Amino acid sequence: MPGTIKTEIKPTGKNEGLSTQLSTQLLKGTTKLPKSVLVQPKRSFRVIYGDLERLPHRVRHYVEENARLCQPDSIHICDGSDKENDLLMYILQKDGILKRLPKYDNCWLSTTDPADVARVEKKTFMSTKLKRDTIPTPKHGADCQLGNWMSLEDMDNALNMRFPDCMKGRTMYVIPFSMGPVGSPLSKIGIELTDSAYVVASMRVMTRVGSKVLGVLNDEEFVKCLHSVGSPLPLSRPIHNNWPCNPQNTIIAHIPHRNEICSFGSGYGGNSLLGKKCFALRLGSILAKKEGWLAEHMLILGIENEKGQKKYIAAAFPSACGKTNLAMMNSSLPGYKITCVGDDIAWMRFDSSGKLRAINPEAGFFGVAPGTSMKTNPNAMKTVKSNTIFTNVAQTSDGGFFWEGMEDEISKSVTIESWLGDKNWSKEDSEGKPAAHPNSRFCTPAAQCPIMDPAWESTEGVPIDAIIFGGRRPKGVPLVYEAMNWQHGVFMGAAMRSESTAAAEHAGKVIMHDPFAMRPFFGYNFGDYLKHWLSFQDKPNLQLPRIYHVNWFRKDANNHFIWPGFGENARVLDWVFRRCDGEDSADMSAIGYVPKQGTLNLSGLKEEVDLKELFSLPPDFWRDEVVAIGKYFDEQVNQDLPPQILDELEKLKQRVAAL
Ligand code: OXD
Ligand code: MN
């Protein structure tokens, strides 16, 4: 967790790899910073913090190999201490990358180069010997939408063009990190080498970092994560907002057979915090296939009813569909209590008694800020008021943060400075330019969330009773329906579609196919991924969770949401809960089981909801949907589509034809 330095530090704004000069200045004793900062040449490497020789042999080899390649000015081996964090925050302020938000305790703001604001899917590649191991071969020469492949040779060339000397003048930080509680049998270890202190500060929030991780590494494999902003010193081109990056040459590369991720050119989010999407999902899904478990883009929540009975649910939604809001929801249904285990990623494994158990491999939330407010997600708002790094949000003249959705939560007397530096931003005069970037983020420690589940760090994981898929579907898709069985549920995941998001580079509101909410995150061929999911139905003695699909976002003819959403979604979870207990509260429909009349608990709901419209299955819509899904499977998954999924599509087609 970030520590605190009380003194305000003026940025030099030059971003000249301050950290190496800084250690010397700091040691002059003008600030109260770590005395243990070492400035000692070690062999040919200048190690300014930590001890290369005490690293496990293979880690040391990885560090030295890449230090020779990237030629950093110095090496800093992260120990995860508060002292170290004080140093990082000092450096980040001096370099003008972070600035304190004095209204809160230990909160920081960073604004990036406007060219580096989101995940870059087009520049994200998996590199394997056989293309088919990574992606299906689309029909008719269509572009593959289920990942990008690069040959091993092309990848080597691409990396060789970028990484040599790329850290010149900068410090290479060595971050040992654990995805999952340190030492849990479900956890995995990574070592990230990065030339960005911002990445180190963020990784400290998002993962478990430091010497304690090395302590449990033993002889185990670790995932090698190399990251560079691709902007060696002296700078060869101007930088914006003191945010070094190299958008022209950005590449996010995964090389599974070497257990390696190499990311170049972007300092932002999932491109640079390599534990998250790159490790926990892309490489994670490959490991999961190999070892018989599941690495999924899912939140995990606990739900307790008025009788004190509890269940856990995992839910997959595409980016920015309200996953964080659902994971931290305050139930509007009296008697129900929701607790949060995770908001983005679930690693799940069947235990020896056949129960599916899940851990959240992360230690923080990297949540989309706009739209988060005391109304939509009070628990997130409480979480982010300390020890948080904000990126690309707006700031208020009283030292606070601001984004779209917070209009009623700031004092009328403050002025707003937009993420782009417009000092007197106002909605009226902004010509549609938002105050905060639509993909602006908070990076905040999970432990601070007021409704964290007591078992969120349990090493064996929490037991999962239900899996929910969902999407943002303005038309045709009912509030909730239940799969007829596991295979039908896998089909439902495969057929997921949703309105597009600001988390990646796509523009406009189009309905995109996003199977299992994993489209940008598959580590291997989606056809094989489906086979892996289907394989669980053939294994004996597994208690397969029930599978559901939800849609909070259906709109009426006047373009108004039919369902109030947010805390009221607990009513849907309550129905799911009771179904998992075997309650006879569902009718069969053409698309799956839907709530029997009167079984969705609407007591106390403040507004009228047109349930008929909410659950209607417009025949034309569903016939078009079947065609769209079929076309997608045929074109995109082609030969790799398992026959069981085609079978489910055919059955759906027949049921829908009878509507
Ligand atoms: C995320 C995403 O950042 O899904 O979590 O894009
Ligand atoms: Mn996500």
Side-chain angles (χ1 to χ4, degrees):
M1 197 178 297
T4 17
I5 302 175
K6 296 289 175 223
T7 44
E8 207 48 56
I9 294 142
K10 290 258 173 308
T12 62
K14 293 210 183 100
N15 201 287
E16 288 169 337
L18 181 85
S19 42
T20 49
Q21 313 147 25
L22 185 71
S23 314
T24 331
Q25 288 173 23
L26 291 177
L27 292 172
K28 287 187 187 150
T30 42
T31 52
K32 289 206 180 64
L33 279 166
K35 290 194 187 67
S36 65
V37 176
L38 306 175
V39 188
Q40 270 175 24
K42 286 258 155 66
R43 302 225 174 142
S44 55
F45 304 107
R46 208 158 80 87
V47 180
I48 56 166
Y49 193 100
D51 188 348
L52 202 51
E53 275 164 38
R54 294 184 66 178
L55 289 177
H57 178 73
R58 279 173 313 116
V59 177
R60 178 172 171 182
H61 178 76
Y62 177 56
V63 174
E64 290 185 345
E65 198 181 21
N66 285 291
R68 272 191 291 274
L69 175 73
C70 303
Q71 290 293 315
D73 189 64
S74 55
I75 297 176
H76 172 134
I77 299 162
C78 298
D79 61 11
S81 66
D82 287 346
K83 272 188 325 192
E84 171 181 79
N85 199 60
D86 289 347
L87 171 63
L88 288 169
M89 295 326 238
Y90 184 88
I91 290 167
L92 283 161
Q93 282 184 89
K94 262 295 200 198
D95 278 350
I97 293 171
L98 284 191
K99 116 180 197 197
R100 187 181 279 285
L101 289 173
K103 188 165 173 188
Y104 316 103
D105 178 22
N106 195 28
C107 284
W108 305 86
L109 172 64
S110 178
T111 43
T112 69
D113 181 326
D116 191 22
V117 291
R119 283 188 285 104
V120 277
E121 289 177 13
K122 288 201 181 72
K123 298 179 179 188
T124 300
F125 295 89
M126 305 297 304
S127 185
T128 49
K129 190 154 169 235
L130 300 179
K131 188 171 184 176
R132 198 158 173 187
D133 285 344
T134 296
I135 46 172
T137 314
K139 222 172 187 168
H140 316 308
D143 281 346
C144 180
Q145 295 166 17
L146 289 157
N148 298 316
W149 175 82
M150 197 182 272
S151 72
L152 295 172
E153 198 188 344
D154 287 352
M155 181 57 80
D156 276 345
N157 290 337
L159 300 181
N160 284 336
M161 276 168 59
R162 289 168 172 82
F163 280 94
D165 294 350
C166 68
M167 296 187 184
K168 272 215 155 131
R170 298 194 182 276
T171 297
M172 174 193 267
Y173 296 92
V174 179
I175 317 172
F177 66 97
S178 174
M179 298 309 290
V182 177
S184 159
L186 300 185
S187 300
K188 304 262 177 212
I189 289 174
I191 305 288
E192 179 158 350
L193 311 179
T194 177
D195 55 6
S196 160
Y198 166 90
V199 166
V200 185
S202 307
M203 285 291 284
R204 286 175 58 99
V205 175
M206 294 306 298
T207 72
R208 286 102 175 157
V209 155
S211 315
K212 58 183 187 255
V213 176
L214 292 176
V216 296
L217 182 59
N218 302 325
D219 257 354
E220 278 160 53
E221 275 298 302
F222 59 90
V223 173
K224 302 179 192 115
C225 306
L226 175 62
H227 169 254
S228 171
V229 292
S231 194
L233 296 169
L235 294 170
S236 57
R237 64 197 132 71
I239 70 168
H240 302 283
N241 284 341
N242 302 317
W243 181 268
C245 60
N246 190 341
Q248 286 79 21
N249 293 309
T250 293
I251 190 167
I252 321 295
H254 306 71
I255 308 123
H257 76 279
R258 298 207 297 253
N259 226 354
E260 189 169 14
I261 301 158
C262 299
S263 164
F264 183 93
S266 166
Y268 199 83
N271 301 331
S272 67
L273 314 180
L274 300 186
K276 196 173 180 59
K277 307 298 187 181
C278 298
F279 178 168
L281 289 177
R282 298 195 190 94
L283 288 193
S285 62
I286 297 177
L287 285 173
K289 164 101 186 336
K290 217 187 284 169
E291 297 171 4
W293 50 282
L294 295 163
E296 301 299 331
H297 191 203
M298 291 182 180
L299 64 87
I300 310 164
L301 60 77
I303 172 164
E304 193 179 312
N305 68 11
E306 67 282 11
K307 295 184 208 127
Q309 294 158 335
K310 186 158 189 182
K311 295 193 194 302
Y312 290 92
I313 296 174
F317 297 83
S319 309
C321 268
K323 256 170 68 213
T324 305
N325 292 351
L326 184 64
M328 296 183 194
M329 171 177 73
N330 283 340
S331 164
S332 304
L333 193 58
Y336 269 86
K337 203 174 120 201
I338 306 292
T339 50
C340 177
V341 177
D343 80 327
D344 197 38
I345 298 174
W347 282 358
M348 304 189 287
R349 203 186 276 260
F350 287 95
D351 67 14
S352 53
S353 68
K355 189 83 194 167
L356 187 61
R357 296 208 158 251
I359 63 163
N360 167 14
E362 301 189 279
F365 305 119
F366 188 68
V368 175
T372 311
S373 67
M374 286 308 281
K375 187 161 161 268
T376 62
N377 192 341
N379 291 315
M381 293 304 277
K382 288 177 196 154
T383 309
V384 302
K385 292 225 163 110
S386 57
N387 307 315
T388 298
I389 300 170
F390 297 88
T391 304
N392 290 342
V393 304
Q395 54 187 307
T396 52
S397 51
D398 62 348
F401 52 76
F402 175 81
W403 49 73
E404 279 58 31
M406 281 183 67
E407 291 76 5
D408 297 336
E409 294 171 23
I410 53 167
S411 144
K412 295 277 170 276
S413 62
V414 299
T415 54
I416 293 170
E417 179 175 341
S418 78
W419 77 283
L420 284 171
D422 175 355
K423 290 227 185 298
N424 245 311
W425 181 92
S426 75
K427 195 165 179 193
E428 298 70 42
D429 302 334
S430 65
E431 293 167 355
K433 284 203 194 113
H437 186 277
N439 191 37
S440 54
R441 300 282 178 145
F442 50 78
C443 176
T444 193
Q448 291 181 187
C449 174
I451 61 158
M452 276 325 267
D453 191 89
W456 84 277
E457 297 198 275
S458 106
T459 48
E460 73 272 26
V462 297
I464 299 293
D465 279 300
I467 291 175
I468 298 181
F469 296 121
R472 190 178 273 272
R473 298 302 304 267
K475 299 247 162 318
V477 179
L479 179 65
V480 58
Y481 58 100
E482 181 185 305
M484 297 172 206
N485 50 47
W486 182 260
Q487 178 169 305
H488 179 225
V490 175
F491 165 79
M492 276 163 34
M496 275 169 67
R497 301 175 73 196
S498 189
E499 229 170 41
S500 59
T501 132
E505 69 265 44
H506 312 290
K509 290 194 166 186
V510 285
I511 304 287
M512 293 175 59
H513 291 270
D514 194 349
F516 290 78
M518 282 286 281
R519 184 192 48 76
F521 310 122
F522 289 119
Y524 63 99
N525 187 316
F526 172 52
D528 295 332
Y529 170 96
L530 286 172
K531 286 171 204 149
H532 180 50
W533 266 79
L534 289 169
S535 72
F536 293 104
Q537 70 185 353
D538 303 324
K539 300 209 166 98
N541 306 324
L542 298 188
Q543 297 164 50
L544 296 172
R546 291 185 187 228
I547 299 181
Y548 297 81
H549 188 283
V550 301
N551 174 29
W552 321 129
F553 302 99
R554 192 162 182 177
K555 288 180 167 175
D556 64 16
N558 300 320
N559 216 23
H560 294 139
F561 289 114
I562 307 177
W563 177 249
F566 302 108
E568 307 298 354
N569 294 336
R571 298 172 191 277
V572 174
L573 301 185
D574 158 57
W575 183 75
V576 167
F577 189 114
R578 288 183 280 119
R579 287 291 295 158
C580 289
D581 275 342
E583 190 184 79
D584 174 21
S585 51
D587 287 329
M588 179 60 86
S589 80
I591 61 171
Y593 291 107
V594 290
K596 256 194 184 89
Q597 209 181 350
T599 59
L600 199 60
N601 185 348
L602 299 182
S603 68
L605 188 63
K606 286 190 198 70
E607 55 192 272
E608 268 303 296
V609 171
D610 185 343
L611 286 182
K612 204 152 169 266
E613 191 170 1
L614 192 58
F615 281 96
S616 71
L617 299 177
D620 286 349
F621 172 91
W622 276 97
R623 279 168 212 150
D624 290 350
E625 186 73 2
V626 166
V627 171
I629 297 166
K631 186 162 177 276
Y632 183 71
F633 286 168
D634 185 43
E635 278 180 3
Q636 288 292 320
V637 203
N638 197 7
Q639 302 288 316
D640 290 312
L641 190 74
Q644 298 95 317
I645 299 295
L646 208 52
D647 206 46
E648 289 297 328
L649 178 67
E650 191 50 40
K651 288 196 261 182
L652 176 66
K653 187 172 167 190
Q654 280 165 22
R655 293 193 304 264
V656 162
L659 277 173

